[in-house]
Amino acid sequence: MTFKTKKLWLGLPLAVAVGFGILAVLACGSTKPASSGPPAASVAVSAESPSAGMVTPAVEIAQPVDPADYPAAIQRYLDAGGDVVALEAALAGWGTLPGAPGQVVAADLTGDDDPEIVVALQYVGEAVAPSGDLLIFSRQAGGWALLYQEGYDPSSPAVRLLPVLDANGDGRQDIVYTLITCGAHTCFESLQILSWRGTGFFSLMGGRLDMPHPTYTVAPGRIDAGSGSVASVGAEPQRGYSEVWEWNGDVFTVTQQIWEPPVYRYHALLDGDRALLSGDYATAVTTYERVIGDDALQEWGAVSGGDPGVERAQLAAFARWRLVLTRVRSGDLGGAQSAYDRLQAEHPDGAVGHDVAALAEVFWGAYAADGSVIDGCTALVVAAKEHTSVHDFFNENYGYANPRWEAVDICPFIE
C-alpha cells in the first residue's frame, strides 16, 4: 500500500454513484486559467454559518498567480477563520474547481471529531487536458496544517472529489476521488480511496482501477465499476465491460470481470481464451465451438471494410487450435488428436488459416516427443516469432481497445 503524510473528513453518504462525461464536462469550460493573466484582486468572502445561522466575518483571500502557491494561500485563509462554503465560492469564481459540487468539504477522516478540510483543485493551462491537486488541511495547535497533498505539476492528472464514506468498515470516513488523464479522444479515470491509519493516509486500492469515461459506484465493502467506450474509431470493435471490487480485510481487489455478450466472433474468441486461462475447460470448449459454428456471431470486417469470409476462416482455424490446446490441458488426449487432425484437414497449404495449422504442427511435434505442454508451447513461440502472420492478423484487424497480441499469446503455457 502507498502512504502519504496528511489527514481528512467529509459528508456521510453510504454510496456514491458517479458517471463521467467527456473532457469538456470535466475541465474544458470557458473560465480563463488563473495563470493566464494578472492575479485577481483580493476578495472578501463571507457565508452563512450552516451550524449557527450566523454570518461569519469577511476574510480576504487573494488568487495566487502560480498553482503551486494555492496550498499556502488556502492555509492562510483558514488560519484567518475563513469559511468552507465561502472558500468554495471563491475558488469556483476563479475557475479552479472541477465542474461538480462538493469539491471543498469538511469531514472527520481521522476520527477525532474535529473535521479536516478537503479541497480538489483544477488548473486549466496550455496542455490538452487540465491538471489538478488534492489538499487536506487539519486543525492543529496554533492554526491549520497541510496534512496531505496529492502533488501538483503542469502535467499531473486532474482531480475530482467524490462523496466520502466508510469504505472499509473501520468506523472512519474515507476519501474517495478520481485522477483523470486525457488524450486527444478519451479521458481515463483512476479511482482512489484513502484511509487514515493513525500516522497518515494509506491507499485502500489493491490494484489499479482505471477506465475510460467510467461510472463508479462505491459502497461499504464494494466497488462497482462500469467502463465507457474509447472515443476513437481506431479502438474498435468494443463492447460493454464492468468490474466488481470487494474489500478483503486489507485492500479492495477485483473479484469479477463482466463483459456484455459478444456481438462479434472475435470477442467470443477472447471469451474462450479467458475460460482457458482460468482453467474452466468445459466453458472454453463450448465457446471455441461457438466461434467456429455460430452463424449469429458477426465479423468485424463487415463493418471495417475487411473480408468477412477470410476473417471467419482465420478465426475458425485459431479456435480449432485452441480446442487442441484446451483438450491437452484438460487431459483429453483423444479429443486433442481429433481437433488437431481436423485443423490440418480443414486448413491445408494455401487455405486461409494454414499459418495457424502450421504453428499447431510445430507444437504437436514437440509435445508428442515428451508429453510436455511447456516444451510444445516453447517450440511454437519460437516459430511464431519468425512467422508472425497469426498474431499480426489480430493486431492489424482489431483496434487498440482490444488485446495487443504477441507470439507467446498463441501458446501461453511456457512455464
Side-chain angles (χ1 to χ4, degrees), residues 15 19 28 61 73 90 120 131 148 150-151 157 180-181 186 203 215 239 246 250 290 294 298 307 348 356 378 392:
C28 295
I61 181 169
S131 57
Y148 178 94
E150 181 66 33
I180 307 159
T181 55
T186 304
S203 173
T215 298
R239 61 171 166 164
E246 295 180 290
D250 186 33
R290 185 185 177 201
D294 190 346
Q298 301 176 26
D307 186 326
V356 178
T378 300
D392 285 347

Side-chain angles (χ1 to χ4, degrees), residues 13-400:
L14 292 180
V16 182
V18 180
F20 297 93
I22 51 180
L23 177 59
V25 175
L26 67 92
C28 295
S30 60
T31 304
K32 189 175 183 180
S35 59
S36 63
S42 297
V43 295
V45 290
S46 63
E48 182 177 293
S49 168
S51 60
M54 302 294 290
V55 175
T56 62
V59 177
E60 287 192 347
I61 181 169
Q63 181 180 8
V65 175
D66 189 337
D69 295 331
Y70 270 76
I74 294 172
Q75 183 174 335
R76 287 193 298 269
Y77 171 79
L78 294 173
D79 283 342
D83 178 83
V84 172
V85 176
L87 174 62
E88 182 166 25
L91 294 172
W94 298 338
T96 54
L97 290 183
Q103 300 303 298
V104 180
V105 293
D108 180 12
L109 302 168
T110 60
D112 62 359
D113 296 323
D114 191 7
E116 284 69 52
I117 306 300
V118 186
V119 181
L121 294 172
Q122 172 181 287
Y123 310 109
V124 182
E126 296 179 357
V128 172
S131 57
D133 204 354
L134 182 74
L135 309 175
I136 303 174
F137 297 91
S138 173
R139 196 192 313 271
Q140 306 288 327
W144 290 82
L146 181 61
L147 186 63
Y148 178 94
Q149 181 172 11
E150 181 66 33
Y152 165 77
D153 66 60
S155 61
S156 61
V159 176
R160 186 183 294 273
L161 187 62
L162 311 183
V164 297
L165 77 162
D166 180 6
N168 61 351
D170 67 354
R172 289 192 296 267
Q173 299 296 294
D174 303 311
I175 186 73
V176 184
Y177 62 104
T178 62
L179 298 177
I180 307 159
T181 55
C182 298
H185 302 288
T186 304
C187 293
F188 282 78
E189 309 191 29
S190 175
L191 185 69
Q192 312 292 318
I193 305 178
L194 297 179
S195 184
W196 179 255
R197 297 278 180 90
T199 58
F201 285 101
F202 289 81
S203 173
L204 298 185
M205 300 300 293
R208 184 174 177 82
L209 175 49
D210 191 39
M211 292 180 168
H213 304 304
T215 298
Y216 292 133
T217 303
V218 184
R222 180 183 173 106
I223 303 166
D224 289 278
S227 178
S229 61
V230 177
S232 171
V233 174
E236 299 293 349
Q238 301 180 63
R239 61 171 166 164
Y241 172 70
S242 61
E243 293 180 354
V244 175
W245 291 56
E246 295 180 290
W247 180 249
N248 66 7
D250 186 33
V251 292
F252 282 94
T253 60
V254 60
T255 56
Q256 295 182 57
Q257 295 175 299
I258 305 163
W259 283 263
E260 290 184 355
V263 173
Y264 296 105
R265 197 172 306 277
Y266 175 62
H267 286 157
L269 177 71
L270 297 181
D271 288 345
D273 285 354
R274 280 185 284 271
L276 170 61
L277 292 173
S278 70
D280 185 356
Y281 300 128
T283 298
V285 167
T286 299
T287 306
Y288 291 137
E289 288 176 344
R290 185 185 177 201
V291 172
I292 296 168
D294 190 346
D295 293 336
L297 292 170
Q298 301 176 26
E299 278 61 60
W300 173 242
V303 178
S304 66
D307 186 326
V310 169
E311 180 184 4
R312 180 165 185 175
Q314 186 73 14
L315 292 179
F318 197 83
R320 189 73 69 188
W321 150 243
R322 286 298 205 225
L323 285 172
V324 174
L325 192 55
T326 303
R327 296 295 191 187
V328 168
R329 290 285 294 178
S330 66
D332 180 5
L333 300 186
Q337 181 72 63
S338 177
Y340 174 78
D341 292 343
R342 191 164 180 182
L343 172 61
Q344 300 302 324
E346 293 179 352
H347 301 277
D349 190 12
V352 174
H354 178 68
D355 53 353
V356 178
L359 291 179
E361 185 175 4
V362 173
F363 168 88
W364 198 253
Y367 171 72
D370 60 7
S372 170
V373 175
I374 292 176
D375 289 348
C377 278
T378 300
L380 183 152
V381 170
V382 170
K385 287 180 178 179
E386 181 178 356
H387 304 285
T388 64
S389 62
V390 174
H391 55 280
D392 285 347
F393 171 83
F394 296 125
N395 295 332
E396 292 169 1
N397 286 280
Y398 308 107
Y400 63 82

